[in-house]
Amino acid sequence: MSAQPAASLTLQGLRAAVTRFTPSRLDEFNDHLAHAATQAQELDSTMPLRSFTEYWGIVVAIERNPVRAARFHELESVVDAGLDADAARAAITEIGALVDAARAEIHA
């Protein structure tokens, strides 16, 4: 586990964490936020914003831990390569476990 504290699940906290741990994704973060806000208005629901917050909380929880982030991206490469179906299935299973652990972390 990283010695870094978990990011605040506020918009400001998430934006700061994305900027710090995965700055190349800041435009994606902003686009996703705009989309979630539009959906929230159209649906008259906070669910799109909750989903946005959980998604980016998980991203930050993964990226703030260098060992976990490296493994996550290694597994993504295995899946993206698509060369071995058994290896891809194993990688997807492990990615799921990493995401589940990150989700548990942000909800702790």
Side-chain angles (χ1 to χ4, degrees):
M1 169 108 35
S2 171
Q4 315 247 354
S8 165
L9 292 182
T10 64
L11 179 58
Q12 184 177 3
L14 287 171
R15 181 176 278 123
V18 168
T19 299
R20 178 175 179 189
F21 297 112
T22 185
S24 65
R25 295 188 69 186
L26 192 55
D27 286 342
E28 179 187 355
F29 174 90
N30 289 325
D31 290 346
H32 189 182
L33 174 58
H35 181 73
T38 299
Q39 279 190 313
Q41 288 177 324
E42 289 173 355
L43 299 172
D44 193 25
S45 170
T46 60
M47 200 56 172
L49 294 170
R50 287 182 184 174
S51 296
F52 166 86
T53 300
E54 180 166 9
Y55 175 84
W56 287 100
I58 290 168
V59 168
V60 168
I62 290 169
E63 295 296 337
R64 71 184 182 87
N65 181 315
V67 172
R68 180 167 45 192
R71 182 63 180 154
F72 185 87
H73 296 299
E74 179 183 340
L75 293 165
E76 283 182 317
S77 294
V78 169
V79 174
D80 289 345
L83 300 176
D84 179 340
D86 290 334
R89 275 191 289 279
I92 290 167
T93 298
E94 190 174 345
I95 287 170
L98 291 172
V99 169
D100 288 345
R103 181 179 292 112
E105 220 175 85
I106 66 169
H107 290 295

